[in-house]
Amino acid sequence: MDQFSRTIESAIASNDYTSLARVFGHGPQSFQSMGQGEQRSLAAFFLKTAVNSKTFLPAAFSSAQAMGAFEVALSQLPATVENAADSKLRQMMFDYKVNKEEDYSGAARILGGMRMETTPESVYYLSQAEMCDVYVKIAECFLEEDETVEADAAVTKAGGVVENITDPEQHMTLILRFKSTYARVLDSNRKFSSAASRYHDLSQSTTDLIEADDLLQMLGRAATCAILSSGPQRQRVLGLVYKDPRLSQLESIPAFEGHATILKKMYTNQVLKKEELVKFEASLADHQKAIMGDGMTILERAVLEHNMLAVSKLYNSIYFSELGRILGVDAFKAEKIAANMIMNQVFGGTIDQVEGLLNFASDETEQQKWDKSIISFCSELNMIAEEIKAESQ
């Protein structure tokens, strides 16, 4: 082992990456010729010497041979390395990969192997805030590469420690980073209702750490996710954003132009037409344009479900042939959408397959039913008038 140690010291002093690659390579001339305990001790010695050198790092990170030696050594360590040299090296490698190579996935995986303990006596002790910072950095990097599963796992771990941070006022920047990353992970995983709530919560932050323009950006993201959301929580989420007094200000931001109008129509149960959604669809991120298992995009499904819900506010019952005409789909697809929404308790109703009729459940008074019939008639008349106008042009 002494011979290998001298080789390592000499190689680090002279930036001899080839010798390091030979020591931590394969074959009888490498450290694999030693016992497992000696291999671990030598790996720890290598990392400690490299970290303590004033000239070796970060220059060595540009060498594939040196990086290969580091990766081998990091996988062969004893239970403890003096002064947590392995953790210090991982942090330096993380910074290099992010800032110099823009290898976010590789950086996240390097930092993901960092040893962290909550026992103050341990050389690997980190406070709750420091642990949260590590997990958030990992999640942020995975998000840069659209690796949402890994980002989700990291931000979940961050959520497990963020509540235990002492003096949260002193760590507000970190907490805001966590909240923002969590919202982005929910968004990337297409959990739009939850993402909208998180974005909206961030948009209402009163701290001076976030600029007013950034708060509006968060509100815009909340609006986007609310529009794309589905399920029983959808109306509540739409209401959160609809009632925000800053909603109209989104029209001044090109990326969110038209969002406020669409959201208002959704919240007030007005039927949306395809041509009203062109700008909104163009503003969506790639993961928000995904085609789902039923062959529809996320937006198409959200708008269909919204229009179905809007129809339920106008009609007591409707034939699927007519419903399909309003929704812009065939009668079979209209029936399938209605069945799913009834099953998910978005609205109440029954389906008469013999008559091809959808009956909406209602607990309205007779006066409310009469008002609804008048509104339905006016809506139908307006649609016919628009069709006649379109045909005459």
Side-chain angles (χ1 to χ4, degrees):
M1 178 174 168
D2 289 343
Q3 180 181 348
F4 284 123
S5 298
R6 287 192 294 271
T7 300
I8 289 172
E9 287 180 322
S10 175
I12 289 176
S14 60
N15 293 333
D16 182 0
Y17 307 135
T18 302
S19 294
L20 291 174
R22 190 180 301 116
V23 171
F24 291 98
H26 300 278
Q29 301 301 315
S30 71
F31 81 138
Q32 291 185 344
S33 62
M34 302 187 298
Q36 192 174 58
E38 289 183 311
Q39 288 181 30
R40 291 176 176 173
S41 297
L42 187 68
F45 173 78
F46 169 43
L47 299 190
K48 182 182 69 173
T49 306
V51 169
N52 290 337
S53 172
K54 296 180 179 180
T55 58
F56 188 63
L57 300 176
F61 294 145
S62 62
S63 164
Q65 290 180 315
M67 289 296 279
F70 284 136
E71 289 173 7
V72 171
L74 285 169
S75 68
Q76 299 285 340
L77 293 174
T80 302
V81 177
E82 185 179 342
N83 295 323
D86 52 326
S87 292
K88 294 176 182 177
L89 178 67
R90 286 185 183 276
Q91 184 63 63
M92 295 172 73
M93 291 174 71
F94 171 84
D95 292 339
Y96 185 86
K97 283 184 172 291
V98 168
N99 299 322
K100 298 295 185 180
E101 297 182 343
E102 296 184 355
D103 177 11
Y104 297 104
S105 180
R109 296 181 195 285
I110 286 291
L111 202 60
M114 183 182 250
R115 291 192 271 196
M116 297 181 285
E117 295 183 7
T118 56
T119 306
E121 294 76 22
S122 171
V123 295
Y124 296 109
Y125 168 76
L126 291 181
S127 67
Q128 297 294 300
E130 290 169 328
M131 291 176 66
C132 183
D133 181 56
V134 170
Y135 291 134
V136 169
K137 283 179 178 176
I138 294 169
E140 288 171 336
C141 285
F142 278 132
L143 278 176
E144 288 293 325
E145 302 287 353
D146 292 325
E147 297 183 40
T148 56
V149 174
E150 293 81 358
D152 194 353
V155 82
T156 298
K157 291 178 180 178
V161 296
V162 71
E163 297 296 333
N164 299 322
I165 293 177
T166 56
D167 299 324
E169 295 81 8
Q170 302 297 320
H171 301 284
M172 188 54 62
T173 300
L174 171 61
I175 293 172
L176 290 171
R177 279 178 53 221
F178 162 72
K179 289 182 176 181
S180 175
T181 303
Y182 187 31
R184 289 173 58 202
V185 167
L186 291 170
D187 185 351
S188 296
N189 284 328
R190 301 170 195 146
K191 297 177 180 178
F192 295 116
S193 292
S194 297
S197 294
R198 296 286 177 172
Y199 280 135
H200 188 256
D201 179 55
L202 275 167
S203 78
Q204 293 185 310
S205 299
T206 56
T207 176
D208 293 335
L209 296 173
I210 306 180
E211 298 289 338
D213 289 346
D214 293 331
L215 293 176
L216 270 183
Q217 288 285 333
M218 290 297 175
L219 180 62
R221 292 183 183 182
T224 300
C225 290
I227 291 168
L228 294 174
S229 66
S230 60
Q233 295 299 315
R234 180 174 175 275
Q235 195 68 7
R236 181 190 66 81
V237 171
L238 285 169
L240 272 178
V241 185
Y242 174 80
K243 295 172 185 177
D244 194 299
R246 302 166 298 164
L247 181 60
S248 60
Q249 296 180 37
L250 292 181
E251 295 301 315
S252 64
I253 304 174
F256 302 117
E257 186 180 355
H259 284 46
T261 301
I262 294 172
L263 189 136
K264 287 175 182 177
K265 283 195 170 186
M266 282 190 160
Y267 183 69
T268 54
N269 296 310
Q270 299 179 53
V271 174
L272 281 166
K273 298 178 181 178
K274 191 172 183 180
E275 54 267 25
E276 296 179 88
L277 302 165
V278 175
K279 282 187 178 180
F280 177 80
E281 188 171 13
S283 72
L284 297 177
D286 288 343
H287 71 275
Q288 295 169 335
K289 297 178 180 178
I291 297 175
M292 310 306 286
D294 54 10
M296 292 189 291
T297 65
I298 296 169
L299 178 60
E300 287 172 341
R301 187 168 67 181
V303 171
L304 275 175
E305 290 187 1
H306 159 73
N307 284 344
M308 178 75 78
L309 195 59
V311 168
S312 75
K313 305 296 182 182
L314 297 173
Y315 293 81
N316 292 320
S317 61
I318 187 171
Y319 287 102
F320 284 114
S321 56
E322 175 63 13
L323 179 60
R325 185 180 71 82
I326 295 173
L327 299 181
V329 297
D330 57 46
F332 175 77
K333 195 164 192 176
E335 180 180 342
K336 187 176 180 180
I337 295 167
N340 286 334
M341 293 181 73
I342 292 171
M343 184 174 63
N344 292 329
Q345 299 181 339
V346 178
F347 61 78
T350 57
I351 293 175
D352 186 338
Q353 290 185 314
V354 175
E355 296 291 333
L357 190 68
L358 171 61
N359 297 297
F360 295 106
S362 175
D363 55 359
E364 298 170 330
T365 64
E366 289 301 318
Q367 181 61 47
Q368 288 173 325
K369 289 180 180 179
W370 173 252
D371 292 343
K372 183 175 179 179
S373 297
I374 296 298
I375 294 171
S376 174
F377 173 77
C378 293
S379 176
E380 188 73 17
L381 188 62
N382 185 56
M383 290 179 67
I384 292 172
E386 288 185 356
E387 288 178 1
I388 293 173
K389 183 179 179 181
E391 288 176 1
S392 65
Q393 291 178 345

